[in-house]
Amino acid sequence: MSRVVMAALLLAACGAQPAPPPSPAASPSATPIAAPRDSNARPAPAEPRTFGDWAVACDNGLRCEMASLGAEGGGFPTWTMALSRGAGPAGAYEIALDSLNDDKGTPATIVIDGRRHAVAGNGLSGPAAATIAGALATGRALTLHDAAGTTLATVSLKGASAALRFIDAAQGRAGTVTATVATGPAAAVPPAPPLPTVVAITPGGTAASPSVPQWGDMRRVAQCDDRMSESDGWKPRLHALGGGATLILLPCSAGAYNEIDALFVLRDGKVTPAQVDAPSGFAPDAQEATAPVRSVINGSFDGGLLGSYGKARGLGDCGIAQSFAWDGARFRLTEQKVMSECRGNPHYLTVWRAKVVRR
């Protein structure tokens, strides 16, 4: 996401006469600043892949991530590992280590096949991360240890080499000196593709409130559950979108750990179902096409972005997270992250990104 910051300098002096404008002959020719252009790209989130005990995905900017998984049918892993690598010749690895438990110590060393790699903070980057990635490609055993040498966790390397090879191929590194697994003599690596641009409205103003009849109409049109009323604690949320529009997040149904919020926009006293340019939540394309009102899961509005976070189970180690920006007519997908494997790693993999420019 990009931010446009503009600063103005005002010069004034008490009692001073304003300076005369420069003569046309002395003025440099002004170059008009082009307004940001919307790419109008149709979102096409990538599908994650699973190789053994690793999940991997690359987004539309060819930034790739791979995340370790717990054993199928086994208990939750104490610690998990995630690697990411940017696209292009300078794309570098970053490694993160995470734990679902705060009292399980702090890793100080990663040991792969007996070779020790020091950990700075909770992860690694740069040449140290590249060295570890190379060791994963051929490694057989990985353990994490604290400063005293106590073993904190074992991370399976089953499928790690295949996941790294997948990243090599997706980023066009196969057969080049920058590849991790599929190495070769070539030096040329494709550059990172540009991200699509979404020109969005800067949020502002005051959120408006629907009338009592409009609340009833919204519940009827969205086919909300009768139990999802405000009197039962399900409170709608109103957010000013800018340009006189108000977003309405209307709780419409719920499961054990997910609240389904119907999306409406109130403008000039009229309430209409919100338009969204991509499937939201867990709904597939076919269901979205026939739904009377679009919805998000556990909806939020923060930093000018509509958020949806659907958990496939209570632990939150699998599901889908999305962000949308309002362009004045519809909500546009700006980021999507998924974890399709419910195997103990809450590090969701990015499968779509867009650059947001405000106006």
Side-chain angles (χ1 to χ4, degrees):
M1 178 185 307
S2 64
R3 297 178 180 173
V4 178
V5 181
M6 296 183 292
L9 181 63
L10 177 64
L11 296 178
C14 181
Q17 296 297 319
S23 64
S27 299
S29 58
T31 302
I33 300 176
R37 177 172 296 180
D38 197 303
S39 302
N40 291 311
R42 181 177 181 179
E47 290 291 334
R49 298 281 300 276
T50 300
F51 298 98
D53 294 332
W54 288 80
V56 61
C58 298
D59 63 24
N60 53 308
L62 293 186
R63 180 180 181 274
C64 299
E65 298 175 286
M66 54 185 282
S68 66
L69 304 170
E72 289 191 271
F76 296 122
T78 307
W79 281 86
T80 60
M81 175 181 284
L83 288 79
S84 64
R85 189 177 194 184
Y93 277 109
E94 293 184 355
I95 297 176
L97 304 172
D98 293 291
S99 175
L100 294 175
N101 303 299
D102 295 332
D103 58 348
K104 295 299 181 181
T106 301
T109 307
I110 299 173
V111 178
I112 304 175
D113 295 344
R115 184 175 180 180
R116 304 172 70 84
H117 305 268
V119 174
N122 69 338
L124 291 165
S125 61
T131 298
I132 293 175
L136 294 181
T138 58
R140 300 176 62 87
L142 184 154
T143 51
L144 302 177
H145 302 260
D146 64 13
T150 303
T151 300
L152 300 177
T154 297
V155 176
S156 171
L157 295 182
K158 179 183 176 182
S161 181
L164 289 165
R165 185 181 293 274
F166 176 89
I167 292 175
D168 283 344
Q171 295 182 336
R173 300 184 187 279
T176 75
V177 295
T178 69
T180 304
V181 178
T183 58
V189 176
L195 296 177
T197 297
V198 171
V199 178
I201 300 292
T202 299
T206 302
S209 297
S211 65
V212 173
Q214 286 175 324
W215 283 118
D217 290 341
M218 283 187 284
R219 295 185 183 280
R220 176 181 53 78
V221 172
Q223 301 174 6
C224 296
D225 292 348
D226 292 338
R227 64 187 177 91
M228 302 293 292
S229 65
E230 188 169 355
S231 61
D232 293 326
W234 301 98
K235 295 185 178 298
R237 282 91 71 201
L238 306 175
H239 301 279
L241 294 173
T246 296
L247 166 66
I248 302 171
L249 289 167
L250 178 65
C252 210
S253 62
Y257 32 76
N258 287 317
E259 174 186 304
I260 312 301
D261 299 308
L263 301 175
F264 291 90
V265 172
L266 171 60
R267 183 160 39 188
D268 298 327
K270 182 180 179 181
V271 174
T272 57
Q275 301 298 310
V276 186
D277 74 341
S280 52
F282 292 123
D285 292 324
Q287 183 176 338
E288 288 283 351
T290 59
V293 179
R294 301 294 293 273
S295 62
V296 293
I297 305 175
N298 301 315
S300 62
F301 190 76
D302 185 48
L305 295 174
L306 168 65
S308 178
Y309 173 40
K311 297 187 287 185
R313 63 177 181 177
L315 181 64
D317 60 338
C318 48
I320 179 170
Q322 298 169 297
S323 295
F324 300 87
W326 173 251
D327 69 358
R330 57 181 176 163
F331 286 99
R332 308 276 298 281
L333 183 67
T334 58
E335 185 178 69
Q336 181 165 311
K337 297 183 176 185
V338 299
M339 175 52 77
S340 55
E341 299 285 347
C342 299
R343 294 168 58 182
N345 193 338
H347 184 98
Y348 286 26
L349 306 174
T350 304
V351 293
W352 176 262
R353 285 183 293 151
K355 180 174 63 174
V356 179
V357 177
R358 298 289 180 179
R359 62 178 175 88

